[in-house]
Amino acid sequence: MPVPWFLLSLALGRSPVVLSLERLVGSQDATHCSPGLSCHLWDSDILCLPGDIVPAPGPVLAPTHLQTELVLRCQKETDCDLCLRVAVHLAVHGHWEEPEDEEKFGGAADSGVEEPRNASLQAQVVLSFQAYPTARCVLLEVQVPAALVQFGQSVGSVVYDCFEAALGSEVRIWSYTQPRYEKELNHTQQLPALPWLNVSADGDNVHLVLNVSEEQHFGLSLYWNQVQGPPKPRWHKNLTGPQIITLNHTDLVPCLCIQVWPLEPDSVRTNICPFREDPRAHRNLWQAARLRLLTLQSWLLDAPCWLPAEAALCWRAPGGDPCQPLVPPLSWENVTVDKVLEFPLLKGHPNLCVQQVNSSEKLQLQECLWADSLGPLKDDVLLLETRGPQDNRSLCALEPSGCTSLPSKASTRAARLGEYLLQDLQSGQCLQLWDDDLGALWACPMDKYIHKRWALVWLACLLFAAALSLILLLKKDHAKAAARGRAALLLYSADDSGFERLVGALASALCQLPLRVAVDLWSRRELSAQGPVAWFHAQRRQTLQEGGVVVLLFSPGAVALCSEWLQDGVSGPGAHGPHDAFRASLSCVLPDFLQGRAPGSYVGACFDRLLHPDAVPALFRTVPVFTLPSQLPDFLGALQQPRAPRSGRLLERAEQVSRALQPALDSYFHPPGTPAPGRGVGPGAGDGT
């Protein structure tokens, strides 16, 4: 729809510096090029498929620079469309390879080889435009005569007239050749906006002020503008008359854009993206970014907008020391939002974390992705092996002060225990995390080293602990229980890998409370060595003897196994895996329920949206069954020591567990590739029309 000259004057000023195109009837595009070049515009648009970069067969034409200019395409004297003219500057890149005959005999090759060097060059140049909600690609054919072919020199430009865009819109332009020999050029052009749409700040809030007439009906839309891929709509509403829309400062991100248009056929849509340089928007973007572990070696970054960042692995030791980057031997990797990245790892470890920095090398994000599935941080030492020529290798232990060479006479902990570390490395007791031609990473446990080295110190500590225990025996039972923490044995059915990660997140969160949690996820080596039945029997006996509690975590798979046992009384040995402790535990759990010994020693739980408590067999509902996370306070209260007073911090601890559990719940119920429910912005969030 042509834009009245009055609106263009408002947007561009009283004397807009624009070039009027030839006044044509219709909306035909055109192209022209520098003298000496010939060019042609394809009649129809093409698919925007850049393809992969391929080696150039010889000299080729390549885009080197994009130049834009605002022009007017007018059909009447005062009715015009704002249009964007693009000039693509071209140069000759590459060179002819020397013929083998010339290199061998030192003479000139035959005339058949020389002929291509005197031929003209041709290229198909693609221009790709994106201006929400429009995207299109056009193809320009360019031919350069042999006389202008000079390697590494510019040959001129080809001009495209023109791409129509709305006032206030942001136009992104890419240019490349088909086939693509080099990385595509890109350019962003911001078109002037109409003055009746303004953005103002009021403390922590942001106001969108729309000065339109009272009878004017218009649409307002908020969306996330994406560097790659279509924009993501966030909120939409049809309004009437002047409006002041209030946004909370926490909803601002750099790619949040606003689109306004009259509710008329073929109306012009005005787009502005006012928060690209807002410091609050950039802070919110990093706060909303999340790292998600997909498999042992793959992960991705979830964020509303594109982030200029790099990521690397780091090692985080217990005790609050900073996470130490493993660069070198590993390297920093460029991060793209919503793109799966790979880790060069052989095994995962709870102390391995991912840290991410922005373009100014400031640490913005750090997450230990393996902690949910592998348990809390371990007191392990990371050994860095460096390999040189002739099978020479050196080892050092990563410590807060740096990497200590082994063996060493330094006074650090790793240096004092260096002999034991080297012995365990040679005997295969260390876990290899990474390996390539230049080196390797090993995680070695430190617990037994400390016992061997400091036997006398431990003896003194034991004597002191014995004396302290005598004093503590005089105190109340609940004070003793609070100091030690109650034992909790977590039993579940391994329905799938996603549910196992959810169980690991719950167990890790409970470890932050005064609880000693046991779960088969963290004891796979003992489970394989002893067998599921023997392992569970030993854990159950120890837990109940210490006055602990057994938590039955019900899922659809667990309910099916319980029903099978209640009907048949037996379970086929080939129907489950070697680590299925839940099935093996039923032979010991059922007698406790049948004989009335379960109340006080057992509790049940299930996750909201996964299983209703009424689906749990009636025999197991003789003990409390809680839904998580909706009944977290009552669930944590049931895990406390018997007769222990309900602490005033119970709600605070429930909130702490809920926050730690929420990312795992989101990942389980909204796996990658499916849209997750996002927060709305603006009034009536999530209620778009």
Side-chain angles (χ1 to χ4, degrees):
M1 174 181 177
V3 182
W5 181 261
F6 172 71
L7 293 182
L8 284 177
S9 300
L10 288 177
L12 302 175
R14 292 181 177 272
S15 301
V17 184
V18 293
L19 300 177
S20 297
L21 295 178
E22 184 178 348
R23 300 171 185 266
L24 302 175
V25 177
S27 56
Q28 297 179 351
D29 296 340
T31 185
H32 57 89
C33 45
S34 300
L37 277 63
S38 60
C39 52
H40 170 70
L41 173 66
W42 274 37
D43 295 335
S44 58
D45 291 356
I46 64 171
L47 293 176
C48 302
L49 300 174
D52 297 329
I53 297 178
V54 299
V60 294
L61 290 177
T64 59
H65 178 61
L66 292 178
Q67 186 175 357
T68 59
E69 183 179 15
L70 286 178
V71 297
L72 294 178
R73 174 178 283 172
C74 300
Q75 299 184 17
K76 295 182 181 180
E77 183 67 26
T78 59
D79 289 333
C80 303
D81 284 326
L82 195 62
C83 214
L84 193 62
R85 167 182 288 166
V86 181
V88 184
H89 295 265
L90 303 170
V92 179
H93 289 178
H95 57 83
W96 293 109
E97 295 184 357
E98 292 295 333
E100 295 183 0
D101 292 343
E102 183 174 346
E103 293 179 357
K104 182 175 181 180
F105 299 106
D110 56 38
S111 58
V113 176
E114 289 293 339
E115 183 177 356
R117 301 192 181 201
N118 298 322
S120 61
L121 288 182
Q122 295 181 346
Q124 291 185 333
V125 180
V126 177
L127 280 175
S128 174
F129 300 92
Q130 184 180 23
Y132 182 75
T134 304
R136 59 178 299 204
C137 285
V138 298
L139 182 64
L140 312 175
E141 290 187 334
V142 185
Q143 184 171 355
V144 179
L148 297 180
V149 176
Q150 300 291 331
F151 301 132
Q153 299 296 321
S154 174
V155 297
S157 62
V158 56
V159 178
Y160 169 72
D161 285 329
C162 58
F163 177 75
E164 295 182 9
L167 287 169
S169 63
E170 180 185 77
V171 182
R172 291 179 175 172
I173 310 167
W174 290 269
S175 180
Y176 51 89
T177 59
Q178 284 189 342
R180 189 160 65 100
Y181 303 116
E182 298 179 359
K183 185 178 180 181
E184 65 267 19
L185 296 179
N186 65 82
H187 178 78
T188 301
Q189 178 72 42
Q190 181 67 53
L191 272 64
L194 292 176
W196 43 265
L197 174 60
N198 296 305
V199 179
S200 62
D202 181 14
D204 288 339
N205 296 323
V206 174
H207 298 313
L208 307 181
V209 182
L210 296 104
N211 296 317
V212 299
S213 63
E214 295 183 358
E215 299 81 12
Q216 178 68 60
H217 301 278
F218 61 93
L220 177 66
S221 176
L222 304 181
Y223 62 93
W224 287 343
N225 198 15
Q226 304 296 298
V227 173
Q228 295 182 349
K232 296 181 180 179
R234 303 297 298 165
W235 181 78
H236 166 76
K237 200 165 187 179
N238 294 334
L239 303 170
T240 303
Q243 294 282 343
I244 298 179
I245 309 298
T246 301
L247 302 178
N248 193 287
H249 72 98
T250 58
D251 296 326
L252 305 183
V253 290
C255 62
L256 180 63
C257 299
I258 307 161
Q259 185 179 82
V260 183
W261 67 97
L263 295 179
E264 300 172 356
D266 300 327
S267 59
V268 175
R269 298 195 174 203
T270 300
N271 299 268
I272 60 172
C273 302
F275 308 111
R276 282 196 296 263
E277 306 300 329
D278 193 318
R280 295 175 300 177
H282 285 273
R283 287 195 300 268
N284 293 339
L285 176 59
W286 282 107
Q287 292 174 359
R290 291 293 181 269
L291 299 177
R292 188 191 308 173
L293 184 66
L294 303 179
T295 64
L296 169 66
Q297 295 179 322
S298 63
W299 62 287
L300 60 78
L301 172 65
D302 282 335
C305 314
W306 174 78
L307 284 173
E310 293 181 326
L313 287 173
C314 64
W315 178 264
R316 184 178 180 184
D321 292 324
C323 198
Q324 297 175 273
L326 301 180
V327 181
L330 303 180
S331 59
W332 289 97
E333 299 289 342
N334 291 325
V335 178
T336 302
V337 174
D338 292 334
K339 180 180 179 181
V340 178
L341 299 175
E342 297 288 335
F343 287 120
L345 293 177
L346 300 176
K347 298 285 185 180
H349 194 282
N351 294 29
L352 282 175
C353 306
V354 178
Q355 63 179 15
Q356 193 162 348
V357 300
N358 59 13
S359 55
S360 60
E361 298 186 358
K362 180 182 178 182
L363 179 62
Q364 296 284 2
L365 189 63
Q366 179 176 294
E367 291 190 32
C368 300
L369 300 179
W370 290 270
D372 287 343
S373 58
L374 300 180
L377 299 178
K378 296 183 178 180
D379 191 17
D380 290 357
V381 168
L382 186 69
L383 299 185
L384 279 67
E385 177 184 348
T386 304
R387 297 167 183 163
Q390 299 179 353
D391 294 332
N392 291 331
R393 71 171 189 168
S394 60
L395 286 167
C396 67
L398 191 64
E399 298 186 281
S401 59
C403 205
T404 304
S405 299
L406 298 180
S408 173
K409 297 182 179 179
S411 59
T412 64
R413 183 179 70 161
R416 291 192 295 266
L417 303 174
E419 180 181 352
Y420 301 107
L421 289 169
L422 295 176
Q423 290 176 358
D424 280 358
L425 179 62
Q426 294 174 358
S427 62
Q429 298 185 36
C430 296
L431 179 66
Q432 188 173 20
L433 306 178
W434 171 77
D435 181 67
D436 75 352
D437 296 337
L438 300 179
L441 295 176
W442 307 82
C444 299
M446 288 288 289
D447 296 339
K448 61 180 180 181
Y449 306 149
I450 298 175
H451 285 292
K452 292 179 181 179
R453 180 68 179 176
W454 304 105
L456 293 178
V457 177
W458 277 111
L459 181 59
C461 292
L462 289 175
L463 293 174
F464 176 77
L468 184 61
S469 298
L470 292 175
I471 299 175
L472 292 176
L473 286 175
L474 302 177
K475 295 181 179 282
K476 295 181 180 180
D477 292 340
H478 68 85
K480 177 179 66 176
R484 186 165 180 255
R486 194 181 189 189
L489 174 59
L490 187 60
L491 297 179
Y492 70 100
S493 173
D495 292 4
D496 52 53
S497 59
F499 187 74
E500 282 193 307
R501 287 194 291 270
L502 187 57
V503 173
L506 176 62
S508 296
L510 294 178
C511 283
Q512 307 303 318
L513 308 178
L515 290 172
R516 292 177 290 117
V517 180
V519 63
D520 67 338
L521 273 175
W522 303 341
S523 305
R524 288 292 168 84
R525 182 178 300 176
E526 294 84 354
L527 192 68
S528 298
Q530 301 175 18
V533 175
W535 180 86
F536 168 74
H537 181 71
Q539 293 292 329
R540 169 187 164 278
R541 181 176 58 184
Q542 179 180 350
T543 300
L544 297 182
Q545 286 178 350
E546 295 176 358
V549 61
V550 178
V551 180
L552 299 178
L553 190 58
F554 288 100
S555 64
V559 170
L561 289 175
C562 292
S563 300
E564 178 184 343
W565 264 92
L566 292 174
Q567 293 174 5
D568 302 333
V570 295
S571 176
H576 53 87
H579 303 310
D580 194 350
F582 186 83
R583 184 187 293 265
S585 68
L586 291 178
S587 61
C588 298
V589 169
L590 284 175
D592 290 341
F593 281 84
L594 293 172
Q595 298 173 17
R597 299 193 302 265
S601 299
Y602 288 77
V603 296
C606 59
F607 290 107
D608 295 322
R609 294 185 292 169
L610 183 62
L611 187 73
H612 194 275
D614 292 342
V616 177
L619 176 63
F620 296 94
R621 293 203 300 271
T622 56
V623 300
V625 179
F626 304 95
T627 58
L628 307 179
S630 60
Q631 294 182 329
L632 261 175
D634 295 334
F635 175 66
L636 297 183
L639 298 184
Q640 288 185 337
Q641 290 281 2
R643 301 181 302 277
R646 294 184 68 88
S647 171
R649 297 183 57 193
L650 191 60
L651 291 178
E652 178 182 348
R653 290 172 176 171
E655 181 66 23
Q656 177 184 352
V657 173
S658 179
R659 287 196 303 269
L661 192 58
Q662 194 60 46
L665 287 170
D666 293 342
S667 177
Y668 183 79
F669 290 107
H670 304 286
T674 62
R679 292 184 305 157
V681 292
D687 190 25
T689 59

